[in-house]
């Protein structure tokens, strides 16, 4: 099943808030932080650049159970093997994280496979040709998570409309600017600090999700 019709095999149209987990040294606290905002998410991505493989497996399993309770697809950042092990809904790949075709072969036709396309429409075209289910452009705004990330322009979303897959905006998105991303053509807004570092994460998540209504 492809997402080219912008349908998730889990819960309908693939549009809305795409939550990405923050770095947190405390696993129990991380799970509770996610639990508080997960009801507002269309997708959840587990991204972890600090933990060892054992801890990543424990966290991925806990997040998978939490996502199953809420019927939110879990996407694993960068790691196809981990996604396969925990039976995640899919994987998100950067330009150095392996081939989309290889991920598809391991995870199956129903897997959600996303690709980072940064500031490059040609990368997006190539990713879709290779079978990506969604493409991500960013950083759209200055990002505290990746302060030196390449900057994407709003025009990229219009250029990518003809590719007929959901377009994800990422980088510095907050409740205050999420509507700018949507106006540019983003189908999903990927958010880390704009939700998890907000004074009231649940309210921030609700505002971001409601912007798509």
């Amino acid at each position: 099943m492809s997402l080219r019709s912008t349908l998730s095999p889990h819960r309908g149209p693939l549009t809305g808030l795409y939550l990405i987990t923050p770095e947190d040294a405390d696993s129990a606290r991380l799970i509770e932080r996610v639990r508080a905002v997960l009801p507002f998410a269309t997708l959840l991505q587990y991204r972890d650049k600090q933990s060892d493989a054992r801890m990543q497996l424990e966290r991925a399993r806990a997040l998978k159970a939490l996502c199953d309770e809420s019927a939110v697809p879990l996407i694993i950042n960068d790691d196809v093997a981990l996604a396969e092990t925990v039976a995640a809904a899919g994987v998100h790949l950067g330009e150095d994280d392996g081939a989309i075709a290889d991920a598809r072969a391991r995870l199956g036709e129903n897997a959600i496979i996303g690709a980072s396309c940064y500031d490059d429409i040609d990368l997006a075209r190539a990713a879709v040709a290779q079978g990506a289910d969604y493409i991500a452009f960013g950083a759209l705004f200055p990002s505290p998570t990746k302060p030196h990330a390449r900057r994407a322009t709003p025009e990229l979303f219009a250029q990518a409309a003809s590719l007929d897959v959901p377009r994800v905006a990422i980088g510095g998105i907050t409740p205050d600017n999420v509507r700018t991303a949507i106006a540019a053509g983003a189908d999903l807004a990927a958010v880390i600090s704009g939700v998890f570092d907000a004074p009231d994460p649940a309210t921030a998540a609700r505002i971001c999700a409601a912007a798509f209504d």
Side-chain angles (χ1 to χ4, degrees):
M1 179 176 180
S2 172
L3 296 186
R4 293 174 191 280
S5 62
T6 72
L7 294 180
S8 163
H10 297 261
R11 59 179 301 185
L14 195 67
T15 184
L17 175 60
Y18 186 172
L19 281 174
I20 302 178
T21 59
E23 298 290 353
D24 194 321
D26 186 317
S27 294
R29 182 174 60 202
L30 174 66
I31 298 304
E32 290 310 307
R33 292 173 73 185
V34 171
R35 188 190 305 276
V37 296
L38 193 59
F40 303 102
T42 296
L43 298 174
L44 176 75
Q45 182 185 130
Y46 173 46
R47 178 183 185 274
D48 188 341
K49 302 297 185 181
Q50 298 179 356
S51 303
D52 61 24
R54 179 188 60 79
M55 184 174 288
Q56 287 184 19
L57 178 57
E58 291 176 358
R59 290 179 170 195
R61 283 175 169 159
L63 290 168
K64 174 64 164 54
L66 191 61
C67 284
D68 286 349
E69 291 174 9
S70 299
V72 175
L74 175 66
I75 308 298
I76 303 295
N77 179 262
D78 294 352
D79 194 332
V80 176
L82 181 59
E84 183 178 34
T85 298
V86 302
V91 69
H92 181 89
L93 301 175
E95 59 186 339
D96 300 317
D97 295 328
I100 292 169
D102 292 341
R104 179 70 66 198
R106 291 187 68 170
L107 301 180
E109 286 302 310
N110 286 339
I112 302 171
I113 300 178
S116 291
C117 301
Y118 311 100
D119 59 349
D120 193 333
I121 189 63
D122 290 330
L123 273 180
R125 293 184 178 117
V128 173
Q130 293 161 23
D133 293 303
Y134 71 78
I135 50 177
F137 294 114
L140 188 59
F141 306 102
S143 169
T145 303
K146 290 187 174 182
H148 304 296
R150 284 176 267 178
R151 293 292 301 278
T153 63
E155 289 73 23
L156 281 167
F157 296 92
Q159 293 174 29
S162 63
L163 298 178
D164 197 29
V165 296
R167 296 155 291 171
V168 181
I170 190 169
I173 296 174
T174 70
D176 293 330
N177 62 27
V178 65
R179 291 185 183 276
T180 300
I182 296 168
D187 301 291
L188 293 128
V191 184
I192 306 176
S193 60
V195 165
F196 288 102
D197 292 344
D200 184 341
T203 295
R206 177 182 55 77
I207 292 171
C208 288
F212 286 89
D213 293 342

